[in-house]
Amino acid sequence: MTDARTAPSLAPSLAPSPAPSPAPSPDPSAGTRTAVAELLTRIAEGDPGRVAELFAERVDWRIAANPVVPWIRPRATRADVAAHFAELAAGVESAPDNRRAVETVLVDGEDAVIMGMLRGHVRATGKGFHSPYAMRLTVREGRVVRYHLYEDSLAIAEACTPGT
C-alpha cells in the first residue's frame, strides 16, 4: 500500500524545464588561425600580390618610421601592402639560416601575435642584420585589417646605411 507521500505524482510538474543547451559556437579564433597561417605561407613564397590579397582594402598599418629604410613608410590600402612587400623583396635577401623566422603564434579571437627573428642582407649595402620582432594582426571576415610590426629598427637602419 502506498500513501500520498510515497506515491508518484501524476500531476504536471510546476518546475520549469531546463532550457535546451545552445549549440556549441564555432571557435572564434579558428578563422584567425587560418588567415595567419596563409599569410605566413604567402610571405614565405614571396609573391607580394598574393600576400596583399589577404588584406582588407583599408588597413591599420604600423611599422616605426625609419627614413633610412626605403621600404618602411606609411601604408593604408591593399595596394600599399603589395608595394611594401615588393619593395621589401627588392631590398632584402632573406638569410639562408632564417629557419626559425616564426617562433610563436598566439591567437585570441580576431587578434594574433607572431614573434620570431628576422635575418637578412640588404641588397644595396650587402650588410646583414638580425632582429627580434613581434607582429600584431587583427583578422575580420578572413582579411587582415591591422598589421603592426615591432622590430629592431636600429639594426635594420644600420644594415641599410652604407659605410657603417
Side-chain angles (χ1 to χ4, degrees):
M1 172 177 198
T2 44
D3 68 23
R5 291 176 301 202
T6 60
S9 171
L10 298 177
S13 170
L14 298 178
S17 61
S21 299
S25 62
D27 178 4
S29 299
T32 302
R33 277 190 203 91
T34 300
V36 168
E38 185 63 22
L39 176 65
L40 293 172
T41 297
R42 291 184 187 194
I43 289 172
E45 291 171 352
D47 183 339
R50 284 186 30 83
V51 172
E53 289 172 355
L54 296 174
F55 284 76
E57 186 53 45
R58 301 288 304 164
V59 181
D60 175 8
W61 180 275
R62 185 177 305 155
I63 301 176
N66 193 328
V68 178
V69 182
W71 54 87
I72 296 179
R73 65 175 163 280
R75 313 284 183 162
T77 67
R78 184 180 298 142
D80 291 341
V81 171
H84 169 79
F85 283 100
E87 292 164 18
L88 179 62
V92 174
E93 179 181 355
S94 288
D97 66 342
N98 209 15
R99 294 178 306 276
R100 295 282 297 164
V102 175
E103 297 171 358
T104 304
V105 177
L106 306 169
V107 177
D108 183 20
E110 62 184 20
D111 295 312
V113 175
I114 303 165
M115 294 176 282
M117 182 66 68
L118 301 172
R119 291 181 184 87
H121 291 87
V122 176
R123 295 181 199 277
T125 64
K127 293 181 183 179
F129 65 87
H130 67 276
S131 168
Y133 74 90
M135 184 184 306
R136 179 182 181 199
L137 304 172
T138 300
V139 176
R140 291 194 185 119
E141 298 177 5
R143 303 268 187 212
V144 177
V145 298
R146 176 183 7 221
Y147 182 94
H148 292 184
L149 179 65
Y150 307 95
E151 60 191 2
D152 182 350
S153 57
L154 179 59
I156 295 168
E158 286 174 350
C160 288
T161 304
T164 58

